[in-house]
Amino acid sequence: MNQHSKPDPTIVASQITPRDVFEQRRTLIRAAAAGAFGATLAPFFARSALAQTTPAGSGTKLAATRNAQYALMEAQSRYKDVTSYNNFYEFGTDKADPAKYAKSLITRPWTLAVEGLVKKPKVYDIDELLKLAPLEERIYRLRCVEGWSMVIPWIGFSLAELIRRVEPTGSAKYVEFVSLADKKQMPGLAVPVLDWPYVEGLRLDEAMHPLTLLTFGLYGEVLPKQNGAPVRITVPWKYGFKSAKSIVRIRFTETEPKTSWHVSAPTEYGFYSNVNPGVDHPRWSQFSEHRIGEGASLFTPTRKTLMFNGYGEQVASLYAGMDLKKFF
Ligand code: MTE
């Protein structure tokens, strides 16, 4: 985390991480001038997190039809990695924490309120929401701002399916996503690493883009809790933090939503957060990435990060004429 008013997140880590791992991490974090997102250190975290965790999936199958148009033909990341190497700060800041602590998340009953500048606001029960449109399997790359990536078969349908049904008014320009914030279920909320609840946002046309996925599952099963059960957003051309997990509210607004990471560190996390190897994070490069599962040492070869995470053909037109260094 940067030098703003938030406490050092390593305080949490010291309470929940084995001492040797914590000590190693603390040294590394300090060396990187402290930060919740310690990009270049991801391989170290990967090794410690993956070694310690036996991931638990949801164990509940979820049928979906593969949408070939959105099925990336790249080796899929291992299920074990996808479900044990997570960012979900409501359950702790260590990559292994969500798999360990998200068991306390109650995913039924669950409602998603869709409100704000829409003609037909509605509170959806999760089981009704699941039936709103046919479920598709889409294989997307997810690139985290920390410098790692995975390839994951998600299950869901385009968020646009939901947006069309609630009929945004002419003045709706942005969409805000709000995650659950319940101290009883989420131990990480005890620490003000971010201003809770976790809030993310998109411009309305980004939210309407068919790639933006209202997500209910992965690898043929209901979302494991650590991956954002029972419903999350997945926006594959943006850094992973734009993909809010365990959402309870979608709100249509006229003004740009105040997103958690931007509020926390405005010079480091812009509203757009499109994957862009040409715009470095102020404290580290975004030029390349480490694919989780392809080794975990400083000597493992990295991959060149692609503009818009490789989805430029589909999404570049959304940003025509914009200076993407200014609107990072
Ligand atoms: N959503 C909430 N509510 N809280 C979080 O801490 N972390 C984000 C995003 N969504 C986060 C969140 C970040 S930084 C990433 S990289 C992705 O979730 C990780 O998703 P995954 O664990 O399913 O790979």
Side-chain angles (χ1 to χ4, degrees):
M1 196 62 69
N2 69 338
Q3 309 300 326
H4 57 93
S5 57
K6 304 289 176 200
D8 182 347
T10 56
I11 293 165
V12 210
S14 68
Q15 294 160 358
I16 51 188
T17 307
R19 189 169 185 83
D20 55 337
V21 177
F22 165 64
E23 292 296 351
Q24 178 199 34
R25 191 151 62 103
R26 187 167 60 177
T27 310
L28 293 166
I29 286 174
R30 292 230 167 105
F37 280 150
T40 54
L41 313 176
F44 289 97
F45 297 167
R47 192 167 45 194
S48 57
L50 297 179
Q52 289 165 52
T53 312
T54 312
S58 67
T60 308
K61 288 209 176 341
L62 188 62
T65 308
R66 165 90 47 100
N67 182 335
Q69 202 190 337
Y70 299 119
L72 193 71
M73 285 302 152
E74 271 179 33
Q76 290 172 27
S77 300
R78 290 183 305 184
Y79 174 86
K80 179 171 157 275
D81 294 346
V82 171
T83 56
S84 65
Y85 187 78
N86 302 105
N87 278 329
F88 199 169
Y89 279 16
E90 288 87 333
F91 296 99
T93 56
D94 193 281
K95 294 288 177 284
D97 288 340
K100 276 193 254 172
Y101 301 115
K103 293 178 184 73
S104 54
L105 179 67
I106 300 164
T107 57
R108 288 290 189 291
W110 190 279
T111 54
L112 176 66
V114 188
E115 59 189 40
L117 301 174
V118 289
K119 290 187 195 130
K120 296 181 174 168
K122 185 172 159 108
V123 178
Y124 286 89
D125 180 78
I126 185 67
D127 292 307
E128 183 189 2
L129 195 61
L130 264 161
K131 293 190 201 108
L132 210 66
L135 291 175
E136 296 175 8
E137 182 180 72
R138 306 223 186 143
I139 306 171
Y140 284 168
R141 229 182 256 120
L142 182 133
R143 165 55 157 94
C144 183
V145 73
E146 294 168 318
W148 52 266
S149 60
M150 296 200 202
V151 174
I152 302 172
W154 300 103
I155 296 173
F157 49 75
S158 293
L159 176 64
E161 295 279 357
L162 171 64
I163 296 181
R164 273 190 220 106
R165 283 167 173 84
V166 294
E167 298 180 24
T169 66
S171 47
K173 299 203 168 43
Y174 296 90
V175 189
E176 179 186 77
F177 306 97
V178 183
S179 298
L180 179 74
D182 181 357
K183 282 190 175 160
K184 292 198 284 299
Q185 300 177 50
M186 301 173 137
L189 293 181
V191 185
V193 181
L194 291 170
D195 281 326
W196 310 114
Y198 193 97
V199 174
E200 257 312 330
L202 295 171
R203 229 171 43 192
L204 181 58
D205 57 347
E206 296 177 319
M208 287 292 289
H209 192 283
L211 273 169
T212 303
L213 193 71
L214 192 65
T215 309
F216 303 94
L218 49 74
Y219 287 95
E221 67 171 39
V222 162
L223 274 175
K225 293 178 176 179
Q226 60 270 33
N227 292 92
V231 59
R232 67 175 287 171
I233 300 296
T234 310
V235 196
W237 72 95
K238 293 181 181 272
Y239 292 118
F241 68 88
K242 296 296 287 183
S243 296
K245 294 176 165 181
S246 304
I247 53 170
V248 290
R249 196 161 73 231
I250 296 183
R251 203 161 65 88
F252 292 75
T253 63
E254 194 162 5
T255 52
E256 200 174 276
K258 293 191 184 350
T259 60
S260 292
W261 278 104
H262 181 69
V263 168
S264 150
T267 57
E268 304 196 1
Y269 308 104
F271 176 77
Y272 283 90
S273 298
N274 290 318
V275 173
N276 188 345
V279 176
D280 287 339
H281 182 280
R283 289 184 285 126
W284 60 75
S285 163
Q286 294 293 12
F287 184 72
S288 61
E289 66 204 55
H290 167 76
R291 183 66 51 84
I292 298 295
E294 292 182 342
S297 82
L298 277 184
F299 308 104
T300 304
T302 51
R303 291 165 176 260
K304 238 180 104 188
T305 287
L306 302 171
M307 185 66 199
F308 298 119
N309 203 20
Y311 297 93
E313 217 175 287
Q314 291 103 309
V315 302
S317 60
L318 293 174
Y319 311 103
M322 281 176 75
D323 177 353
L324 296 182
K325 284 200 155 66
K326 187 171 165 211
F327 298 100
F328 65 92

